[in-house]
Amino acid sequence: MLVTKSAIRPGSNFNRQGGSIFHQRQQPEPTIYSWICDQLGASPTASWMIGDSQRCDRDGPTAVGIRGFFVDRNSTNGDCPELVTFARKVLATAR
């Protein structure tokens, strides 16, 4: 999931889709993350991504300036144990 700070505020509307099916590239190839940011009209440095793959959802996005986070619900090895913690981190930066 890739979001910008405004995308997780109340009343937000997720109205764009992106991914390898549209771009013909696979994660963690850097161009897919840049392309998705372009589609969202968002700067990579103003975007955040979370997912269950360290390589594709944290390390890949980080390579292009997106703040990537690894969610690991089964251990303490992740950056966030679940999505609520991730959302709180994003919203805390907006203050």
Side-chain angles (χ1 to χ4, degrees):
M1 173 190 335
L2 184 132
V3 298
T4 59
K5 292 177 194 175
S6 62
I8 61 170
R9 291 192 175 129
S12 298
N13 183 2
F14 290 100
N15 62 359
R16 302 273 179 137
Q17 293 185 34
S20 59
I21 192 168
F22 299 103
H23 185 58
Q24 305 301 311
R25 299 285 188 263
Q26 298 270 332
Q27 291 176 310
E29 195 170 324
T31 60
I32 195 167
Y33 306 106
S34 299
W35 180 81
I36 290 172
C37 286
D38 288 344
Q39 294 299 302
L40 293 170
S43 163
T45 58
S47 301
W48 298 54
M49 183 161 180
I50 189 166
D52 59 0
S53 168
Q54 291 180 30
R55 183 172 167 248
C56 295
D57 299 319
R58 182 182 63 195
D59 302 342
T62 300
V64 297
I66 296 169
R67 294 187 65 178
F69 290 84
F70 169 56
V71 64
D72 187 352
R73 294 176 179 95
N74 299 318
S75 72
T76 58
N77 295 327
D79 302 310
C80 300
E82 33 64 34
L83 294 176
V84 171
T85 301
F86 171 72
R88 287 183 180 142
K89 286 183 180 195
V90 174
L91 292 173
T93 67
R95 295 182 186 152

